[in-house]
Amino acid sequence: EQLMELAGLSVAAALVEAFPCAVSSKVGSALRVLVVCGPGNNGGDGLVAARHLHHFGYAVTVVLPKPGRNPYFRNLEQQCKDLGLPVLATLEEAVERNDGVGLASAFDVVVDAMFGFSFKGAPRAPFDGIISEIAREQGAFLRLLSVDIPSGWDVEKGPPTTDSDSSSSSSSSSIRLKSVLSSANRNPAPLAIVCAVSPAMKALFASENCRRR
């Protein structure tokens, strides 16, 4: 539990370092952050990060398609709800709540807290569809920060390769998140959180004087 708290705080600090602007250029209010959580430890890190980002002044929405069964995980979920954060089951609900026609219009930053280092195989529903949607919309107007590694990547081999022989709906060609790895650990905690940020954001980082470590 302590490691998850420290990891989530590190994720929140990494986002603040990368995207410190508290006002969204799209709507003139707080930067809108969507935290998409999986059912495991990565998802728990995301819930902790969501809580801290709310206190840091960001407008946070959580998408939790499959809540974890661990009592501590459920406590983290409840803490977000107690703070008034929307905890929703689908991307569609999150976009509709923010009056957008897509992720890029409804949010400024997406935190990918679905799957991490230990995940094996191809993501299954509903996460395969969520990853595909994020991959389609990420770019100059939708910034992405992933906990550990982008969901769907292999920790040793990197991003999935196109498999033209596969007819599965969760084919690797449909779940490719385009990211460049950079470490981010601003806290004195003895752990290293690895985050992935879209290459399209490099110029934005420079313009916002963001430092990446």
Side-chain angles (χ1 to χ4, degrees):
E1 295 178 5
Q2 289 180 332
L3 285 177
M4 192 171 290
E5 286 290 334
L6 291 171
L9 177 58
S10 292
V11 170
L15 189 144
V16 171
E17 182 175 17
F19 312 113
C21 302
V23 176
S24 168
S25 60
K26 300 176 188 176
V27 295
S29 59
L31 204 70
R32 300 164 302 169
V33 179
L34 175 66
V35 183
V36 186
C37 299
N41 290 339
N42 245 43
D45 296 346
L47 291 172
V48 173
R51 188 182 72 222
H52 286 294
L53 289 170
H54 168 76
H55 289 305
F56 292 162
Y58 293 81
V60 181
T61 299
V62 176
V63 167
L64 186 61
K66 289 188 175 182
R69 298 178 181 179
N70 184 295
Y72 181 66
F73 190 104
R74 304 309 289 262
N75 287 339
L76 293 175
E77 178 186 352
Q78 188 59 50
Q79 288 172 17
C80 288
K81 292 179 179 178
D82 290 344
L83 288 172
L85 302 184
V87 180
L88 310 171
T90 67
L91 288 182
E92 291 76 15
E93 291 177 89
V95 170
E96 182 178 354
R97 184 181 179 89
N98 272 24
D99 297 324
V101 295
L103 283 177
S105 64
F107 297 98
D108 302 290
V109 183
V110 173
V111 176
D112 161 22
M114 288 176 278
F115 306 116
F117 289 132
S118 61
F119 182 80
K120 302 294 183 182
R124 294 179 290 183
F127 294 102
D128 56 348
I130 292 173
I131 293 172
S132 295
E133 182 66 20
I134 295 173
R136 278 194 297 269
E137 295 216 30
Q138 78 174 100
F141 297 104
L142 184 67
R143 293 163 278 187
L144 174 69
L145 185 144
S146 294
V147 181
D148 288 354
I149 59 175
S151 294
W153 282 30
D154 183 277
V155 67
E156 295 181 347
K157 299 177 182 178
T161 57
T162 301
D163 183 0
S164 58
D165 297 328
S166 173
S167 59
S168 169
S169 61
S170 61
S171 170
S172 60
S173 62
S174 68
I175 57 172
R176 193 175 299 156
L177 293 181
K178 303 171 185 177
S179 301
V180 171
L181 295 180
S182 64
S183 63
N185 182 20
R186 287 188 42 149
N187 300 294
L191 67 152
I193 301 301
V194 178
C195 299
V197 182
S198 168
M201 293 302 98
K202 289 182 179 179
L204 181 64
F205 289 169
S207 67
E208 292 183 353
N209 295 318
C210 298
R211 296 178 296 107
R212 292 182 296 158
R213 298 180 181 180

Short mmCIF file of all heavy atoms in Angstrom, two decimals, residues 145-210:
data_model
loop_
_atom_site.label_atom_id
_atom_site.label_comp_id
_atom_site.label_asym_id
_atom_site.label_seq_id
_atom_site.Cartn_x
_atom_site.Cartn_y
_atom_site.Cartn_z
N LEU A 145 0.51 10.35 -21.05
CA LEU A 145 1.53 9.96 -20.09
C LEU A 145 1.16 8.58 -19.57
O LEU A 145 0.06 8.37 -19.08
CB LEU A 145 1.61 10.98 -18.95
CG LEU A 145 2.73 10.76 -17.93
CD1 LEU A 145 3.28 12.10 -17.46
CD2 LEU A 145 2.23 9.97 -16.73
N SER A 146 2.08 7.60 -19.75
CA SER A 146 1.81 6.22 -19.36
C SER A 146 2.61 5.85 -18.12
O SER A 146 3.77 6.23 -17.99
CB SER A 146 2.16 5.25 -20.50
OG SER A 146 1.32 5.44 -21.60
N VAL A 147 2.00 5.09 -17.24
CA VAL A 147 2.68 4.60 -16.04
C VAL A 147 3.43 3.32 -16.41
O VAL A 147 2.86 2.41 -17.02
CB VAL A 147 1.66 4.31 -14.92
CG1 VAL A 147 2.39 3.82 -13.66
CG2 VAL A 147 0.83 5.54 -14.61
N ASP A 148 4.68 3.23 -16.04
CA ASP A 148 5.58 2.12 -16.40
C ASP A 148 5.91 2.17 -17.88
O ASP A 148 6.93 2.70 -18.28
CB ASP A 148 4.99 0.76 -16.05
CG ASP A 148 4.95 0.49 -14.55
OD1 ASP A 148 5.50 1.32 -13.80
OD2 ASP A 148 4.39 -0.52 -14.13
N ILE A 149 5.05 1.57 -18.72
CA ILE A 149 5.21 1.57 -20.17
C ILE A 149 3.82 1.73 -20.79
O ILE A 149 2.82 1.51 -20.12
CB ILE A 149 5.86 0.25 -20.68
CG1 ILE A 149 5.00 -0.95 -20.28
CG2 ILE A 149 7.29 0.12 -20.19
CD1 ILE A 149 5.52 -2.27 -20.85
N PRO A 150 3.76 2.11 -22.07
CA PRO A 150 2.44 2.21 -22.69
C PRO A 150 1.71 0.86 -22.65
O PRO A 150 2.31 -0.18 -22.92
CB PRO A 150 2.76 2.62 -24.14
CG PRO A 150 4.10 3.28 -24.05
CD PRO A 150 4.84 2.54 -22.97
N SER A 151 0.45 0.89 -22.32
CA SER A 151 -0.32 -0.36 -22.26
C SER A 151 -0.32 -1.06 -23.62
O SER A 151 -0.53 -0.42 -24.65
CB SER A 151 -1.77 -0.06 -21.83
OG SER A 151 -1.80 0.43 -20.51
N GLY A 152 -0.07 -2.35 -23.60
CA GLY A 152 0.01 -3.12 -24.83
C GLY A 152 1.44 -3.36 -25.29
O GLY A 152 1.67 -4.19 -26.16
N TRP A 153 2.41 -2.64 -24.72
CA TRP A 153 3.81 -2.86 -25.07
C TRP A 153 4.37 -4.04 -24.29
O TRP A 153 3.92 -4.35 -23.18
CB TRP A 153 4.65 -1.63 -24.72
CG TRP A 153 4.53 -0.49 -25.69
CD1 TRP A 153 3.46 -0.15 -26.45
CD2 TRP A 153 5.54 0.48 -25.97
NE1 TRP A 153 3.73 0.98 -27.18
CE2 TRP A 153 5.00 1.39 -26.91
CE3 TRP A 153 6.84 0.68 -25.51
CZ2 TRP A 153 5.72 2.47 -27.41
CZ3 TRP A 153 7.55 1.76 -25.99
CH2 TRP A 153 7.00 2.65 -26.94
N ASP A 154 5.38 -4.68 -24.87
CA ASP A 154 6.15 -5.70 -24.17
C ASP A 154 7.33 -5.01 -23.50
O ASP A 154 8.01 -4.18 -24.13
CB ASP A 154 6.64 -6.77 -25.14
CG ASP A 154 7.40 -7.89 -24.45
OD1 ASP A 154 8.62 -7.71 -24.19
OD2 ASP A 154 6.80 -8.93 -24.16
N VAL A 155 7.58 -5.33 -22.24
CA VAL A 155 8.61 -4.61 -21.50
C VAL A 155 9.99 -4.79 -22.11
O VAL A 155 10.85 -3.90 -21.98
CB VAL A 155 8.61 -5.06 -20.01
CG1 VAL A 155 9.07 -6.51 -19.89
CG2 VAL A 155 9.47 -4.13 -19.17
N GLU A 156 10.24 -5.90 -22.82
CA GLU A 156 11.55 -6.13 -23.43
C GLU A 156 11.56 -5.82 -24.92
O GLU A 156 12.54 -5.32 -25.45
CB GLU A 156 11.98 -7.58 -23.20
CG GLU A 156 12.22 -7.93 -21.73
CD GLU A 156 12.66 -9.36 -21.54
OE1 GLU A 156 12.54 -10.15 -22.50
OE2 GLU A 156 13.12 -9.69 -20.43
N LYS A 157 10.46 -6.11 -25.61
CA LYS A 157 10.43 -5.96 -27.07
C LYS A 157 9.88 -4.62 -27.52
O LYS A 157 10.00 -4.26 -28.69
CB LYS A 157 9.60 -7.09 -27.68
CG LYS A 157 10.16 -8.47 -27.39
CD LYS A 157 9.25 -9.55 -27.96
CE LYS A 157 9.77 -10.95 -27.63
NZ LYS A 157 8.86 -12.00 -28.15
N GLY A 158 9.25 -3.89 -26.62
CA GLY A 158 8.72 -2.59 -26.99
C GLY A 158 7.32 -2.68 -27.58
O GLY A 158 6.53 -3.56 -27.22
N PRO A 159 6.99 -1.76 -28.50
CA PRO A 159 5.62 -1.72 -29.03
C PRO A 159 5.30 -2.96 -29.85
O PRO A 159 6.20 -3.58 -30.42
CB PRO A 159 5.63 -0.46 -29.91
CG PRO A 159 7.06 -0.27 -30.28
CD PRO A 159 7.85 -0.73 -29.10
N PRO A 160 4.03 -3.33 -29.90
CA PRO A 160 3.64 -4.49 -30.69
C PRO A 160 3.88 -4.25 -32.17
O PRO A 160 3.81 -3.11 -32.64
CB PRO A 160 2.14 -4.65 -30.39
CG PRO A 160 1.70 -3.30 -29.96
CD PRO A 160 2.88 -2.69 -29.25
N THR A 161 4.18 -5.31 -32.89
CA THR A 161 4.38 -5.20 -34.32
C THR A 161 3.12 -5.61 -35.04
O THR A 161 2.30 -6.36 -34.52
CB THR A 161 5.54 -6.11 -34.77
OG1 THR A 161 5.27 -7.45 -34.38
CG2 THR A 161 6.85 -5.66 -34.16
N THR A 162 2.96 -5.13 -36.27
CA THR A 162 1.78 -5.46 -37.05
C THR A 162 1.78 -6.93 -37.40
O THR A 162 2.76 -7.48 -37.90
CB THR A 162 1.75 -4.63 -38.34
OG1 THR A 162 1.73 -3.26 -37.99
CG2 THR A 162 0.51 -4.97 -39.16
N ASP A 163 0.68 -7.58 -37.13
CA ASP A 163 0.52 -9.00 -37.45
C ASP A 163 -0.57 -9.13 -38.51
O ASP A 163 -1.75 -9.20 -38.21
CB ASP A 163 0.14 -9.79 -36.19
CG ASP A 163 0.04 -11.29 -36.44
OD1 ASP A 163 0.26 -11.70 -37.59
OD2 ASP A 163 -0.29 -12.02 -35.49
N SER A 164 -0.16 -9.14 -39.77
CA SER A 164 -1.13 -9.16 -40.85
C SER A 164 -1.91 -10.46 -40.93
O SER A 164 -2.95 -10.54 -41.57
CB SER A 164 -0.42 -8.93 -42.19
OG SER A 164 0.57 -9.93 -42.41
N ASP A 165 -1.40 -11.51 -40.27
CA ASP A 165 -2.08 -12.80 -40.33
C ASP A 165 -3.12 -12.95 -39.26
O ASP A 165 -3.88 -13.92 -39.24
CB ASP A 165 -1.05 -13.94 -40.17
CG ASP A 165 -0.06 -13.95 -41.32
OD1 ASP A 165 -0.46 -13.56 -42.44
OD2 ASP A 165 1.11 -14.32 -41.08
N SER A 166 -3.17 -12.00 -38.34
CA SER A 166 -4.10 -12.12 -37.23
C SER A 166 -5.43 -11.49 -37.60
O SER A 166 -5.47 -10.37 -38.10
CB SER A 166 -3.53 -11.45 -35.97
OG SER A 166 -4.49 -11.42 -34.96
N SER A 167 -6.52 -12.18 -37.32
CA SER A 167 -7.84 -11.63 -37.58
C SER A 167 -8.54 -11.26 -36.30
O SER A 167 -9.70 -10.90 -36.29
CB SER A 167 -8.70 -12.66 -38.33
OG SER A 167 -8.82 -13.85 -37.55
N SER A 168 -7.82 -11.35 -35.17
CA SER A 168 -8.41 -11.07 -33.87
C SER A 168 -8.72 -9.59 -33.74
O SER A 168 -7.99 -8.73 -34.23
CB SER A 168 -7.45 -11.49 -32.76
OG SER A 168 -7.88 -10.99 -31.52
N SER A 169 -9.82 -9.28 -33.04
CA SER A 169 -10.19 -7.88 -32.83
C SER A 169 -9.19 -7.18 -31.95
O SER A 169 -9.13 -5.96 -31.91
CB SER A 169 -11.58 -7.80 -32.19
OG SER A 169 -11.57 -8.45 -30.92
N SER A 170 -8.37 -7.94 -31.22
CA SER A 170 -7.36 -7.34 -30.36
C SER A 170 -5.99 -7.45 -31.00
O SER A 170 -4.98 -7.51 -30.35
CB SER A 170 -7.35 -8.04 -28.99
OG SER A 170 -7.03 -9.40 -29.12
N SER A 171 -5.96 -7.48 -32.36
CA SER A 171 -4.70 -7.54 -33.09
C SER A 171 -3.79 -6.42 -32.67
O SER A 171 -4.21 -5.29 -32.43
CB SER A 171 -4.98 -7.43 -34.60
OG SER A 171 -3.77 -7.25 -35.31
N SER A 172 -2.48 -6.72 -32.61
CA SER A 172 -1.52 -5.74 -32.14
C SER A 172 -1.52 -4.49 -33.01
O SER A 172 -1.16 -3.42 -32.55
CB SER A 172 -0.11 -6.35 -32.11
OG SER A 172 0.27 -6.78 -33.41
N SER A 173 -1.93 -4.60 -34.28
CA SER A 173 -1.93 -3.44 -35.15
C SER A 173 -2.94 -2.39 -34.71
O SER A 173 -2.87 -1.24 -35.13
CB SER A 173 -2.23 -3.86 -36.59
OG SER A 173 -3.51 -4.44 -36.68
N SER A 174 -3.90 -2.77 -33.87
CA SER A 174 -4.95 -1.83 -33.48
C SER A 174 -4.73 -1.25 -32.09
O SER A 174 -5.55 -0.49 -31.61
CB SER A 174 -6.31 -2.53 -33.51
OG SER A 174 -6.38 -3.51 -32.49
N ILE A 175 -3.62 -1.62 -31.44
CA ILE A 175 -3.44 -1.17 -30.06
C ILE A 175 -2.08 -0.51 -29.87
O ILE A 175 -1.45 -0.65 -28.85
CB ILE A 175 -3.60 -2.34 -29.08
CG1 ILE A 175 -2.62 -3.47 -29.40
CG2 ILE A 175 -5.01 -2.85 -29.07
CD1 ILE A 175 -2.59 -4.56 -28.37
N ARG A 176 -1.61 0.20 -30.89
CA ARG A 176 -0.27 0.74 -30.85
C ARG A 176 -0.28 2.16 -30.30
O ARG A 176 -0.75 3.08 -30.97
CB ARG A 176 0.33 0.71 -32.26
CG ARG A 176 1.81 0.95 -32.30
CD ARG A 176 2.32 0.78 -33.71
NE ARG A 176 2.09 -0.58 -34.18
CZ ARG A 176 2.00 -0.90 -35.46
NH1 ARG A 176 2.09 0.01 -36.37
NH2 ARG A 176 1.80 -2.15 -35.81
N LEU A 177 0.20 2.36 -29.09
CA LEU A 177 0.35 3.69 -28.53
C LEU A 177 1.74 4.20 -28.90
O LEU A 177 2.74 3.54 -28.65
CB LEU A 177 0.19 3.67 -27.01
CG LEU A 177 -1.20 3.33 -26.49
CD1 LEU A 177 -1.21 3.37 -24.97
CD2 LEU A 177 -2.24 4.28 -27.04
N LYS A 178 1.79 5.37 -29.52
CA LYS A 178 3.06 5.92 -30.00
C LYS A 178 3.70 6.74 -28.89
O LYS A 178 3.22 7.82 -28.57
CB LYS A 178 2.81 6.80 -31.22
CG LYS A 178 2.11 6.07 -32.36
CD LYS A 178 1.71 7.03 -33.45
CE LYS A 178 0.90 6.31 -34.53
NZ LYS A 178 0.44 7.26 -35.57
N SER A 179 4.76 6.23 -28.33
CA SER A 179 5.36 6.91 -27.19
C SER A 179 6.87 6.76 -27.17
O SER A 179 7.43 5.84 -27.77
CB SER A 179 4.79 6.37 -25.88
OG SER A 179 3.39 6.54 -25.84
N VAL A 180 7.52 7.68 -26.51
CA VAL A 180 8.96 7.64 -26.28
C VAL A 180 9.17 7.55 -24.78
O VAL A 180 8.56 8.30 -24.02
CB VAL A 180 9.65 8.89 -26.84
CG1 VAL A 180 11.11 8.93 -26.40
CG2 VAL A 180 9.56 8.90 -28.36
N LEU A 181 10.01 6.64 -24.34
CA LEU A 181 10.19 6.43 -22.91
C LEU A 181 11.12 7.47 -22.30
O LEU A 181 12.13 7.82 -22.86
CB LEU A 181 10.77 5.03 -22.65
CG LEU A 181 9.86 3.87 -23.04
CD1 LEU A 181 10.58 2.55 -22.73
CD2 LEU A 181 8.55 3.92 -22.28
N SER A 182 10.75 7.94 -21.13
CA SER A 182 11.62 8.81 -20.35
C SER A 182 11.31 8.56 -18.89
O SER A 182 10.18 8.33 -18.52
CB SER A 182 11.38 10.29 -20.69
OG SER A 182 10.07 10.67 -20.33
N SER A 183 12.34 8.57 -18.05
CA SER A 183 12.10 8.33 -16.64
C SER A 183 11.64 9.62 -15.98
O SER A 183 12.03 10.70 -16.38
CB SER A 183 13.37 7.81 -15.96
OG SER A 183 14.38 8.80 -16.02
N ALA A 184 10.81 9.46 -14.96
CA ALA A 184 10.34 10.64 -14.23
C ALA A 184 10.18 10.27 -12.78
O ALA A 184 9.35 9.48 -12.41
CB ALA A 184 8.99 11.10 -14.80
N ASN A 185 11.03 10.85 -11.94
CA ASN A 185 10.96 10.56 -10.51
C ASN A 185 11.40 11.79 -9.75
O ASN A 185 12.56 11.98 -9.50
CB ASN A 185 11.84 9.36 -10.16
CG ASN A 185 11.73 9.02 -8.69
OD1 ASN A 185 10.78 9.41 -8.03
ND2 ASN A 185 12.71 8.30 -8.18
N ARG A 186 10.45 12.63 -9.41
CA ARG A 186 10.78 13.88 -8.73
C ARG A 186 10.79 13.73 -7.23
O ARG A 186 11.18 14.63 -6.52
CB ARG A 186 9.76 14.95 -9.12
CG ARG A 186 9.92 15.44 -10.55
CD ARG A 186 9.02 16.62 -10.80
NE ARG A 186 9.02 17.54 -9.67
CZ ARG A 186 8.85 18.83 -9.78
NH1 ARG A 186 8.69 19.37 -10.94
NH2 ARG A 186 8.82 19.60 -8.71
N ASN A 187 10.34 12.61 -6.72
CA ASN A 187 10.19 12.47 -5.29
C ASN A 187 11.39 11.73 -4.69
O ASN A 187 12.07 10.96 -5.36
CB ASN A 187 8.91 11.69 -4.98
CG ASN A 187 7.70 12.43 -5.53
OD1 ASN A 187 7.38 13.51 -5.07
ND2 ASN A 187 7.05 11.85 -6.52
N PRO A 188 11.64 11.93 -3.40
CA PRO A 188 12.77 11.25 -2.76
C PRO A 188 12.49 9.77 -2.50
O PRO A 188 13.32 9.08 -1.95
CB PRO A 188 12.92 12.01 -1.44
CG PRO A 188 11.56 12.56 -1.16
CD PRO A 188 10.98 12.89 -2.50
N ALA A 189 11.30 9.29 -2.89
CA ALA A 189 10.97 7.88 -2.66
C ALA A 189 11.91 6.97 -3.43
O ALA A 189 12.33 7.29 -4.54
CB ALA A 189 9.53 7.62 -3.10
N PRO A 190 12.28 5.80 -2.85
CA PRO A 190 13.24 4.91 -3.49
C PRO A 190 12.61 4.05 -4.57
O PRO A 190 12.61 2.83 -4.48
CB PRO A 190 13.73 4.06 -2.31
CG PRO A 190 12.54 3.98 -1.42
CD PRO A 190 11.87 5.33 -1.53
N LEU A 191 12.03 4.68 -5.59
CA LEU A 191 11.49 3.92 -6.71
C LEU A 191 11.54 4.79 -7.94
O LEU A 191 11.64 6.00 -7.86
CB LEU A 191 10.03 3.49 -6.45
CG LEU A 191 8.98 4.59 -6.38
CD1 LEU A 191 7.64 4.01 -6.81
CD2 LEU A 191 8.84 5.14 -4.97
N ALA A 192 11.56 4.15 -9.09
CA ALA A 192 11.62 4.87 -10.35
C ALA A 192 10.37 4.60 -11.15
O ALA A 192 10.08 3.46 -11.48
CB ALA A 192 12.85 4.44 -11.15
N ILE A 193 9.59 5.62 -11.41
CA ILE A 193 8.41 5.50 -12.24
C ILE A 193 8.82 5.86 -13.66
O ILE A 193 9.41 6.91 -13.90
CB ILE A 193 7.29 6.45 -11.77
CG1 ILE A 193 6.92 6.14 -10.33
CG2 ILE A 193 6.08 6.33 -12.67
CD1 ILE A 193 6.44 4.74 -10.09
N VAL A 194 8.53 5.01 -14.62
CA VAL A 194 8.84 5.28 -16.01
C VAL A 194 7.57 5.69 -16.71
O VAL A 194 6.58 5.00 -16.66
CB VAL A 194 9.44 4.04 -16.70
CG1 VAL A 194 9.72 4.33 -18.17
CG2 VAL A 194 10.73 3.63 -16.00
N CYS A 195 7.61 6.85 -17.35
CA CYS A 195 6.44 7.36 -18.04
C CYS A 195 6.74 7.46 -19.52
O CYS A 195 7.88 7.58 -19.93
CB CYS A 195 6.07 8.75 -17.51
SG CYS A 195 5.66 8.74 -15.75
N ALA A 196 5.70 7.36 -20.33
CA ALA A 196 5.85 7.48 -21.77
C ALA A 196 5.05 8.67 -22.26
O ALA A 196 3.92 8.86 -21.87
CB ALA A 196 5.34 6.21 -22.45
N VAL A 197 5.69 9.47 -23.10
CA VAL A 197 5.05 10.68 -23.58
C VAL A 197 5.10 10.70 -25.10
O VAL A 197 6.10 10.32 -25.70
CB VAL A 197 5.76 11.93 -23.01
CG1 VAL A 197 5.07 13.20 -23.46
CG2 VAL A 197 5.80 11.86 -21.49
N SER A 198 4.03 11.13 -25.73
CA SER A 198 3.95 11.17 -27.18
C SER A 198 5.08 11.99 -27.77
O SER A 198 5.40 13.07 -27.29
CB SER A 198 2.61 11.76 -27.60
OG SER A 198 2.62 12.06 -28.97
N PRO A 199 5.72 11.52 -28.87
CA PRO A 199 6.78 12.29 -29.52
C PRO A 199 6.30 13.66 -29.99
O PRO A 199 7.07 14.61 -30.05
CB PRO A 199 7.15 11.41 -30.71
CG PRO A 199 6.73 10.04 -30.34
CD PRO A 199 5.51 10.21 -29.49
N ALA A 200 5.02 13.76 -30.30
CA ALA A 200 4.48 15.04 -30.76
C ALA A 200 4.56 16.11 -29.68
O ALA A 200 4.42 17.29 -29.97
CB ALA A 200 3.02 14.87 -31.20
N MET A 201 4.80 15.68 -28.45
CA MET A 201 4.84 16.64 -27.34
C MET A 201 6.22 17.23 -27.11
O MET A 201 6.39 18.10 -26.27
CB MET A 201 4.36 15.95 -26.06
CG MET A 201 2.90 15.56 -26.09
SD MET A 201 1.85 17.00 -26.36
CE MET A 201 1.55 16.84 -28.13
N LYS A 202 7.25 16.76 -27.82
CA LYS A 202 8.60 17.27 -27.58
C LYS A 202 8.67 18.78 -27.76
O LYS A 202 9.23 19.50 -26.94
CB LYS A 202 9.59 16.58 -28.52
CG LYS A 202 9.84 15.12 -28.19
CD LYS A 202 10.87 14.53 -29.14
CE LYS A 202 11.16 13.08 -28.80
NZ LYS A 202 12.14 12.50 -29.74
N ALA A 203 8.10 19.26 -28.84
CA ALA A 203 8.11 20.70 -29.09
C ALA A 203 7.31 21.44 -28.02
O ALA A 203 7.68 22.53 -27.59
CB ALA A 203 7.54 20.99 -30.47
N LEU A 204 6.22 20.82 -27.58
CA LEU A 204 5.40 21.45 -26.54
C LEU A 204 6.17 21.55 -25.24
O LEU A 204 6.12 22.56 -24.54
CB LEU A 204 4.12 20.65 -26.33
CG LEU A 204 3.15 21.20 -25.28
CD1 LEU A 204 2.63 22.55 -25.73
CD2 LEU A 204 2.01 20.24 -25.05
N PHE A 205 6.92 20.48 -24.90
CA PHE A 205 7.72 20.51 -23.69
C PHE A 205 8.68 21.70 -23.72
O PHE A 205 8.85 22.42 -22.75
CB PHE A 205 8.53 19.23 -23.54
CG PHE A 205 7.71 18.02 -23.22
CD1 PHE A 205 8.28 16.77 -23.29
CD2 PHE A 205 6.39 18.14 -22.85
CE1 PHE A 205 7.53 15.64 -22.99
CE2 PHE A 205 5.64 17.03 -22.56
CZ PHE A 205 6.22 15.78 -22.63
N ALA A 206 9.32 21.90 -24.88
CA ALA A 206 10.29 22.98 -25.00
C ALA A 206 9.61 24.33 -24.85
O ALA A 206 10.11 25.23 -24.17
CB ALA A 206 11.00 22.88 -26.34
N SER A 207 8.43 24.47 -25.45
CA SER A 207 7.73 25.75 -25.40
C SER A 207 7.22 26.06 -24.01
O SER A 207 7.06 27.22 -23.64
CB SER A 207 6.56 25.75 -26.40
OG SER A 207 5.57 24.84 -25.99
N GLU A 208 6.93 25.02 -23.22
CA GLU A 208 6.44 25.24 -21.87
C GLU A 208 7.56 25.17 -20.84
O GLU A 208 7.32 25.19 -19.64
CB GLU A 208 5.36 24.19 -21.53
CG GLU A 208 4.08 24.35 -22.34
CD GLU A 208 3.03 23.35 -21.93
OE1 GLU A 208 3.34 22.45 -21.12
OE2 GLU A 208 1.90 23.44 -22.41
N ASN A 209 8.81 25.07 -21.33
CA ASN A 209 9.96 25.01 -20.44
C ASN A 209 9.85 23.86 -19.47
O ASN A 209 10.21 23.99 -18.28
CB ASN A 209 10.14 26.34 -19.68
CG ASN A 209 10.46 27.47 -20.61
OD1 ASN A 209 11.27 27.32 -21.52
ND2 ASN A 209 9.84 28.63 -20.40
N CYS A 210 9.35 22.74 -19.96
CA CYS A 210 9.24 21.55 -19.10
C CYS A 210 10.56 20.81 -19.14
O CYS A 210 11.16 20.65 -20.20
CB CYS A 210 8.11 20.63 -19.60
SG CYS A 210 6.49 21.39 -19.53
#
